[in-house]
Amino acid sequence: MNRRKPSQKRAKNSVEAIINAGFISLAKNGLANTTTIHIADIAGISPGTLYQYFDNKEAVYTAMERYFVNDILALLNSVVPEFIQLDIRAGVTFLLHKLSEKLLEDNGRYLKFARHGAHIFDENLSQHAHEIEKKLQEIIMQYVMHHPELMRIKSIPTFNYLIINGGILIIIRYLSESSPTISLEQLIDGLGNMAIRYIAGEMQDA
Amino acid sequence: MNRRKPSQKRAKNSVEAIINAGFISLAKNGLANTTTIHIADIAGISPGTLYQYFDNKEAVYTAMERYFVNDILALLNSVVPEFIQLDIRAGVTFLLHKLSEKLLEDNGRYLKFARHGAHIFDENLSQHAHEIEKKLQEIIMQYVMHHPELMRIKSIPTFNYLIINGGILIIIRYLSESSPTISLEQLIDGLGNMAIRYIAGEMQDA
Amino acid sequence: MNRRKPSQKRAKNSVEAIINAGFISLAKNGLANTTTIHIADIAGISPGTLYQYFDNKEAVYTAMERYFVNDILALLNSVVPEFIQLDIRAGVTFLLHKLSEKLLEDNGRYLKFARHGAHIFDENLSQHAHEIEKKLQEIIMQYVMHHPELMRIKSIPTFNYLIINGGILIIIRYLSESSPTISLEQLIDGLGNMAIRYIAGEMQDA
Amino acid sequence: MNRRKPSQKRAKNSVEAIINAGFISLAKNGLANTTTIHIADIAGISPGTLYQYFDNKEAVYTAMERYFVNDILALLNSVVPEFIQLDIRAGVTFLLHKLSEKLLEDNGRYLKFARHGAHIFDENLSQHAHEIEKKLQEIIMQYVMHHPELMRIKSIPTFNYLIINGGILIIIRYLSESSPTISLEQLIDGLGNMAIRYIAGEMQDA
DNA sequence: TATGAATGAGCATTCATTCAT
DNA sequence: CATGAATGAATGCTCATTCAT
């Protein structure tokens, strides 16, 4: 039952085209109106062809998630060296800006997908998405290595959880709002403040 | 076209039963498998009956949201007097515990709905949901009135946005995880810390 | 399974109210939107009550037809004496005017029913409707008795068929048109002409 | 939303098959029992396929009407040259025979549709059907051109209305009867007589 | 490989009919 | 007798998926 792995150039193009079409359809038509036929249409192929590369619709979503996660991971990797040099506030601000940019790329094609997130799969956050969390934890640990004084923070796991999930969820939520009550700058600034003050407090206690 | 308003006991029960069945089906079957037939089944009625009380499926979702929002608003209202007497850390902790409890009530029937949130409607957060945000802002403002020293916080809107959205989103996210890496206590504690330290920092600056 | 025959005043009223509501709903909502619930609503009763007087929906239609046919027969009977005294053109004109008036009575409540005619029953013209035809034949024969020279018409059955069906069908059709190209007077005049000239011709031949 | 235009042989066949099945179902099952599933069944396709070619059920009816009207128009066009050469009685007789034949074609598949006519659409005669009326008016005018003495008829519009509607309605009605009281020959003869005598009378008056 | 017409199970919704009150 | 909430079979329609070409 498993579809052949695309081994040819055209095939690779088709796969990419389908994944891309998935993001576009989701952003344009919404989850309910994202049908395989729509996706195939946008990808410029026939529905039959779509099924030569994907077992079923969910496999397309999974591939989209894989693609999205890889893109974010690549972004994070590329950004680590610069990030590590920055102080906390600048670092947080820097990362959140990068994330916002990525989510708004190409008419926000990732944004809707990120918002729908696990809802598409009707389960807990997918394993793929956890990779982003892990990568961020890793990056934070690298940061801590470069800034040993931070080791005095009492509960690094809690801090990680808060700053990572809080940061990502709020940004996604914010970007999805049609008429937000504060500006993106204010939001990112606020998150930066929050991080720096939390850390300052934790270190004072220690 | 409008369905009859329930004027009898049995009818009122049906409406409640349908709304309740909506939450249950969502939690059990997921969004994609929450069909009118499933809902009717769980409610112990026939599909025809569902349509005597609701114009269409979306109307059921809207009623569910209304019901959920009302429940949360009632919770918040009932909790204000106690909340206002507490210090910040205790207050935040108190509210987040109340929220968690509510979301976990009845086998977490609200949780999935809260997670899916506006996604069900394929649009921005519905007006109803904004009511919760407004109520929380209101409560925070009341709190500030009782604790005038807080007026020195520079950007109250940003603080509100962060603490309200951050708090809610992280809690929902956390409760939805199947194997979280930290405990709920740690999470709520961390959020309490974050709030108190953010405020402390802001007030120091002022 | 047969419903009780209404033997009481209220019952009789209900039956009439239902039949009447049937005509009204048909005229107002069209065949497709004439549901038993609508009919009951208009009749000011509950659907349950409707089924105490009628076995099913079709029985309502049948009763409507019976009622309609009786009304037309009564009209024809009441009109015979005057009709018989008139000359042919005047007689035809007279009858067609009477028919038009009846069809337009009460906001044309009969008209839609007459147009839908057998379509409601999905069969050939119902037996009831044939009674009208027979009555008209009878009237024509009475007329011939009073005007013996008409006996010279060669094919009275054919003449009857043409004048009866032609007259009725064209009138119903005409009254149902939203923007007819000629006036009702012209139409009735034309039909009168047609009758008189047909007869004149037939008698000349004889 | 628009269904794909049939571009392939198979598709074209499907469209024709569906339209044809529509006529057959209407004749066999009646209006109330002509469901999309029945139509698809008769056409030998699945309901899904029906909806690849038609937006909805009404679109099938519209296509049927278009098809029917086109067929009648083609018949009329093909018949004009011969018709124009004939005298009035022969012309009327000729046309009515042609019409009867067409309506009885293929087990009378058109007949039920013609009877239901606009009732299917629950409105006045559809625009398509008016095309037949117009075409007949046109033909009559051509006839008059070839027989200039007819110009002396006083009211050509009224004559047209009577002869066109009367002729068509009576024929349809007659063919739909299960046990008519006269023969088709007699009916058509009678209509021929009526036409010729009406005209003779009108011209005498002039 | 690519196509796209065909499929058919499944959905939202309606409405004639019933029956406990 | 009257009610009207409840029923559930049936309808119009969609869409993920298949397969002959």
Side-chain angles (χ1 to χ4, degrees):
Chain A
M1 259 302 155
N2 258 319
R3 307 290 155 167
R4 69 186 78 248
K5 289 274 162 55
S7 58
Q8 318 232 333
K9 226 188 281 173
R10 192 157 41 142
K12 213 165 204 165
N13 287 346
S14 285
V15 167
E16 276 229 19
I18 291 165
I19 290 173
N20 206 22
F23 288 118
I24 294 170
S25 173
L26 212 52
K28 219 181 68 184
N29 308 319
L31 181 54
N33 292 312
T34 290
T35 67
T36 49
I37 289 170
H38 269 83
I39 294 176
D41 244 38
I42 295 174
I45 59 169
S46 71
T49 301
L50 188 152
Y51 280 86
Q52 279 194 320
Y53 297 108
F54 294 94
D55 268 358
N56 49 42
K57 197 187 180 185
E58 198 178 311
V60 177
Y61 284 133
T62 305
M64 284 164 66
E65 196 189 26
R66 178 74 272 164
Y67 190 92
F68 170 61
V69 169
N70 282 347
D71 203 357
I72 298 286
L73 292 180
L75 170 72
L76 293 178
N77 279 327
S78 78
V79 135
V80 170
E82 193 171 350
F83 170 70
I84 279 179
Q85 309 302 329
L86 301 171
D87 67 52
I88 290 172
R89 136 165 278 127
V92 168
T93 306
F94 176 67
L95 273 187
L96 291 175
H97 271 125
K98 287 292 181 189
L99 179 62
S100 302
E101 276 166 26
K102 178 56 78 184
L103 289 172
L104 293 174
E105 217 174 78
D106 290 319
N107 300 312
R109 64 170 196 165
Y110 280 154
L111 185 55
K112 194 91 160 231
F113 182 80
R115 260 185 88 214
H116 280 101
H119 308 270
I120 288 170
F121 302 98
D122 251 327
E123 38 163 271
N124 291 322
L125 217 56
S126 77
Q127 219 45 48
H128 287 159
H130 275 297
E131 294 182 29
I132 294 176
E133 225 178 309
K134 276 199 190 137
K135 168 60 74 182
L136 279 167
Q137 282 178 15
E138 194 188 308
I139 291 177
I140 292 180
M141 291 325 289
Q142 282 188 264
Y143 190 89
V144 171
M145 298 299 162
H146 273 70
H147 306 257
E149 71 281 10
L150 294 176
M151 299 216 192
R152 279 159 45 211
I153 295 176
K154 278 185 307 188
S155 174
I156 294 209
T158 302
F159 173 72
N160 278 353
Y161 196 94
L162 284 176
I163 205 67
I164 291 173
N165 284 297
I168 293 176
L169 291 172
I170 292 187
I171 287 290
I172 292 173
R173 166 83 157 79
Y174 177 86
L175 296 176
S176 302
E177 278 194 280
S178 54
S179 47
T181 50
I182 61 173
S183 73
L184 181 58
E185 283 318 305
Q186 288 178 303
L187 176 65
I188 290 180
D189 250 43
L191 283 164
N193 273 343
M194 211 143 237
I196 206 170
R197 278 167 185 156
Y198 183 84
I199 286 166
E202 291 279 308
M203 289 174 59
Q204 216 169 333
D205 283 11
Chain B
M1 260 303 154
N2 260 318
R3 305 294 153 169
R4 70 187 73 245
K5 288 274 162 59
S7 60
Q8 314 231 334
K9 232 187 277 172
R10 192 159 39 144
K12 214 165 205 164
N13 288 348
S14 284
V15 167
E16 279 235 13
I18 292 164
I19 290 174
N20 206 24
F23 288 118
I24 295 171
S25 173
L26 213 53
K28 216 182 71 183
N29 309 319
L31 181 55
N33 292 312
T34 289
T35 69
T36 49
I37 289 171
H38 272 86
I39 293 176
D41 246 33
I42 295 173
I45 58 169
S46 69
T49 300
L50 188 152
Y51 283 89
Q52 282 205 320
Y53 299 106
F54 295 94
D55 269 356
N56 47 44
K57 197 187 178 186
E58 198 178 313
V60 177
Y61 284 134
T62 305
M64 285 164 66
E65 197 189 25
R66 179 73 272 164
Y67 190 92
F68 170 62
V69 170
N70 282 348
D71 205 358
I72 298 285
L73 291 180
L75 170 72
L76 293 178
N77 279 327
S78 77
V79 135
V80 169
E82 193 172 347
F83 170 69
I84 279 179
Q85 309 301 331
L86 302 170
D87 68 54
I88 291 174
R89 139 167 274 128
V92 168
T93 307
F94 177 66
L95 273 187
L96 291 175
H97 271 124
K98 288 293 181 188
L99 179 61
S100 302
E101 276 164 29
K102 178 56 78 184
L103 289 172
L104 293 173
E105 215 175 79
D106 291 318
N107 300 314
R109 65 170 194 167
Y110 280 155
L111 185 56
K112 192 86 158 239
F113 182 80
R115 268 184 80 216
H116 280 102
H119 307 271
I120 287 171
F121 303 97
D122 237 330
E123 37 163 274
N124 290 321
L125 218 54
S126 77
Q127 218 46 47
H128 286 160
H130 275 298
E131 293 180 30
I132 293 177
E133 224 177 309
K134 274 195 192 143
K135 169 60 73 182
L136 280 167
Q137 282 178 16
E138 194 188 307
I139 291 177
I140 292 180
M141 291 325 287
Q142 281 186 262
Y143 190 89
V144 172
M145 297 301 160
H146 273 68
H147 306 256
E149 69 280 12
L150 294 175
M151 299 215 192
R152 279 159 46 212
I153 296 176
K154 277 186 308 186
S155 175
I156 295 208
T158 301
F159 173 71
N160 279 351
Y161 196 95
L162 285 176
I163 206 67
I164 292 173
N165 285 296
I168 294 176
L169 292 173
I170 292 186
I171 287 291
I172 292 174
R173 167 82 156 80
Y174 177 85
L175 297 176
S176 302
E177 280 196 276
S178 54
S179 46
T181 51
I182 61 175
S183 73
L184 180 57
E185 284 317 305
Q186 288 178 303
L187 175 64
I188 290 180
D189 249 42
L191 283 164
N193 273 343
M194 209 144 239
I196 206 172
R197 277 161 188 161
Y198 182 84
I199 287 167
E202 290 279 309
M203 288 175 58
Q204 215 168 335
D205 284 12
Chain C
M1 260 303 153
N2 258 320
R3 307 290 155 169
R4 70 187 76 248
K5 289 273 163 56
S7 59
Q8 318 232 335
K9 227 187 277 173
R10 191 155 42 143
K12 212 165 206 168
N13 287 347
S14 285
V15 167
E16 275 228 23
I18 292 164
I19 290 173
N20 206 23
F23 288 117
I24 293 170
S25 173
L26 212 53
K28 218 181 69 184
N29 308 320
L31 181 55
N33 292 312
T34 289
T35 68
T36 48
I37 289 170
H38 269 82
I39 293 176
D41 243 37
I42 296 174
I45 58 169
S46 71
T49 302
L50 187 151
Y51 280 86
Q52 280 194 321
Y53 298 109
F54 295 94
D55 269 358
N56 48 42
K57 196 186 182 187
E58 199 179 311
V60 177
Y61 284 134
T62 306
M64 285 164 67
E65 197 189 26
R66 178 72 272 163
Y67 190 91
F68 170 62
V69 169
N70 282 348
D71 203 357
I72 299 285
L73 292 180
L75 170 73
L76 293 178
N77 279 328
S78 77
V79 136
V80 169
E82 192 171 349
F83 170 68
I84 280 178
Q85 309 301 330
L86 302 170
D87 67 53
I88 291 173
R89 138 168 274 126
V92 168
T93 306
F94 176 68
L95 274 186
L96 291 176
H97 271 124
K98 287 293 180 188
L99 178 62
S100 302
E101 277 164 26
K102 178 56 77 182
L103 290 171
L104 293 174
E105 217 174 79
D106 290 320
N107 300 313
R109 65 170 194 166
Y110 280 155
L111 185 57
K112 195 89 159 235
F113 183 80
R115 261 184 87 212
H116 280 103
H119 308 272
I120 290 171
F121 302 98
D122 250 328
E123 37 163 272
N124 291 322
L125 216 55
S126 78
Q127 218 46 48
H128 287 159
H130 275 298
E131 292 181 30
I132 294 176
E133 224 178 310
K134 273 196 191 140
K135 169 58 73 183
L136 280 166
Q137 282 177 18
E138 194 186 308
I139 291 177
I140 293 179
M141 290 325 287
Q142 281 187 261
Y143 190 88
V144 171
M145 296 303 163
H146 273 70
H147 306 256
E149 70 280 11
L150 294 175
M151 300 214 190
R152 280 156 49 210
I153 295 174
K154 278 185 308 184
S155 176
I156 294 207
T158 302
F159 172 72
N160 277 353
Y161 196 95
L162 284 176
I163 206 66
I164 291 173
N165 284 296
I168 293 176
L169 292 172
I170 292 186
I171 287 289
I172 291 174
R173 167 83 156 79
Y174 176 87
L175 296 176
S176 302
E177 279 195 281
S178 55
S179 46
T181 49
I182 62 173
S183 74
L184 180 59
E185 283 318 305
Q186 288 177 304
L187 175 64
I188 290 180
D189 250 43
L191 283 164
N193 273 344
M194 211 143 238
I196 207 172
R197 273 159 189 163
Y198 183 84
I199 287 166
E202 290 281 308
M203 288 174 58
Q204 217 169 332
D205 282 14
Chain D
M1 261 302 155
N2 260 319
R3 305 293 152 169
R4 68 188 74 248
K5 288 276 164 54
S7 60
Q8 313 229 337
K9 231 187 278 174
R10 194 160 36 145
K12 215 166 206 164
N13 287 347
S14 284
V15 167
E16 280 236 10
I18 291 165
I19 290 174
N20 205 24
F23 288 119
I24 293 170
S25 172
L26 213 53
K28 217 182 71 183
N29 308 320
L31 181 54
N33 292 311
T34 290
T35 69
T36 50
I37 290 171
H38 273 87
I39 294 176
D41 247 33
I42 296 174
I45 58 170
S46 70
T49 301
L50 188 152
Y51 283 89
Q52 282 205 319
Y53 299 108
F54 295 94
D55 268 355
N56 47 44
K57 198 188 177 187
E58 197 178 313
V60 176
Y61 284 134
T62 305
M64 284 165 67
E65 197 189 25
R66 179 73 272 164
Y67 191 91
F68 169 62
V69 169
N70 282 348
D71 204 355
I72 298 285
L73 291 179
L75 170 73
L76 293 178
N77 279 327
S78 78
V79 135
V80 169
E82 192 171 347
F83 169 69
I84 278 178
Q85 309 301 331
L86 302 172
D87 67 54
I88 290 171
R89 136 166 276 126
V92 168
T93 307
F94 176 68
L95 273 185
L96 291 175
H97 271 123
K98 288 291 183 188
L99 179 63
S100 303
E101 277 165 26
K102 178 55 79 186
L103 289 173
L104 293 173
E105 217 175 80
D106 291 318
N107 300 313
R109 66 171 194 166
Y110 279 155
L111 185 55
K112 192 83 158 242
F113 182 81
R115 267 183 82 216
H116 280 101
H119 306 272
I120 288 172
F121 302 96
D122 236 330
E123 37 164 275
N124 291 321
L125 219 54
S126 77
Q127 218 46 47
H128 286 159
H130 275 298
E131 292 181 32
I132 294 177
E133 224 177 310
K134 273 198 191 141
K135 169 59 75 180
L136 279 167
Q137 282 178 14
E138 193 187 309
I139 292 177
I140 293 179
M141 292 324 289
Q142 280 187 264
Y143 190 88
V144 171
M145 298 298 162
H146 273 68
H147 306 258
E149 69 281 11
L150 293 176
M151 300 214 190
R152 278 158 46 211
I153 295 175
K154 278 187 308 186
S155 175
I156 293 207
T158 302
F159 173 71
N160 277 352
Y161 196 94
L162 284 176
I163 206 67
I164 291 173
N165 284 297
I168 292 176
L169 292 172
I170 293 186
I171 287 290
I172 291 173
R173 166 81 158 79
Y174 177 86
L175 296 176
S176 301
E177 279 196 278
S178 54
S179 47
T181 50
I182 62 174
S183 74
L184 181 58
E185 282 318 305
Q186 287 177 303
L187 175 65
I188 290 181
D189 249 43
L191 282 164
N193 272 345
M194 210 143 239
I196 205 170
R197 276 164 188 159
Y198 182 85
I199 286 166
E202 291 279 309
M203 289 173 59
Q204 216 168 331
D205 284 12

